[in-house]
Each structure stands twice: as C-alpha cells, then as structure tokens.
Amino acid sequence: MRNPMDMRNAEGYVDLTAGIALANVTREQRAKSYRPLVYIASPFVGDNEKNIERACGYCRFAVRKGFIPLAPHLLFSQFMRDDDEADQELAGFMGFVLLTKCAELWVFGDVVTKDMSAEIARAIHRGQPVRHFTDDCEEVPQ
C-alpha cells in the first residue's frame, strides 16, 4: 500500500495535487474517528444498584455524543472495597491519575458527593473543562 503522504504518482512522478488530496482525505478520516476521553462523575454511594445503572446510562450518553467515557467508580467498585479506607484512598488517587488523561469532566445528577467535589476541584485546578448534566443527561448551563 502506498504511503498517503507520498507526493509521487504511480509512475513515480511528483504529483502535488494528488498528494495533497490524499493527505486531506487521511486527515479527514482521522478527524472523524477521533473520540476524546471524558471522565464521568456521578453518585455511587447509597442505592448502588440504581447508581450503577445510571452511571452506565451516562456512559452510553457520552458514547452517543462522540466521546469515550471513563467512569472509574464503575471500574474500581468491581475489585476494591467501599468499607476499606486504604482502598478508598487508593481509588481516589487512581481516579485523579485517570482524570489527567481526560479532555473533560462530566458531572451528572443533582447530588454532588464528597468524592465528586474532589474530582471537580482537581479538574478546575488543572484547567480542565467541567460540564454539568441532570439525571436525564440535559446539560446545565454554568
């Protein structure tokens, strides 16, 4: 397969028009397939079953909007214990590390927990955009 950045035609002659056109098509294809990573923050404590279901819905919403959702509270709850202070501290640290990899922080719901407040403060401190949504995924203007 030919390198799309090669400015030569099939006969080996320089063909800037074709080379530029191929480069533009390649760039457009990359742009269409690009999906930024977004950090999903939503309540987890309380009714865990309902909150897990809601967080999964928020992740589906992010995918439909063209993002790759990252919901650490869904992941970490699979192997870390809520009742273990060391696990909770480590989960918070790992969440902050993952937040640094995300383009934005999306906060869902009317209730903002202590952990969510810490995530929001960290994102603001880092200059990351923070967007707020209702339980029904309607964006709340700030």
Side-chain angles (χ1 to χ4, degrees):
M1 180 172 210
R2 289 175 29 100
N3 179 351
M5 300 309 291
D6 187 0
M7 296 293 179
R8 296 184 182 276
N9 63 19
E11 290 81 34
Y13 297 104
V14 173
D15 186 348
L16 294 179
T17 302
I20 291 170
L22 283 173
N24 288 339
V25 168
T26 302
R27 188 177 318 105
E28 287 173 16
Q29 287 173 337
R30 268 191 246 127
K32 286 180 185 176
S33 64
Y34 176 71
R35 289 179 171 258
L37 193 60
V38 63
Y39 192 103
I40 305 294
S42 65
F44 191 76
V45 295
D47 186 349
N48 283 11
E49 189 173 316
K50 185 176 181 180
N51 289 336
I52 289 171
E53 183 179 322
R54 283 184 174 173
C56 289
Y58 304 147
C59 289
R60 283 189 295 275
F61 169 75
V63 170
R64 285 193 309 270
K65 292 295 184 181
F67 292 81
I68 299 171
L70 179 59
H73 57 302
L74 289 179
L75 173 63
F76 298 155
S77 65
Q78 301 301 306
F79 59 88
M80 300 185 89
R81 294 179 34 191
D82 274 347
D83 61 350
D84 184 317
E85 190 175 322
D87 271 7
Q88 288 307 301
E89 192 173 312
L90 181 56
F93 170 76
M94 292 188 303
F96 286 151
V97 169
L98 293 174
L99 179 59
T100 67
K101 309 303 179 196
C102 295
E104 298 179 351
L105 167 65
W106 289 9
V107 180
F108 287 89
D110 297 330
V111 175
V112 176
T113 66
K114 182 182 79 163
D115 291 337
M116 292 168 64
S117 291
E119 292 165 337
I120 293 167
R122 181 62 61 104
I124 290 170
H125 176 75
R126 292 183 44 76
Q128 290 174 283
V130 178
R131 296 170 65 184
H132 295 265
F133 297 86
T134 66
D135 287 330
D136 298 323
C137 300
E138 297 290 327
E139 189 161 7
V140 178
Q142 295 295 314

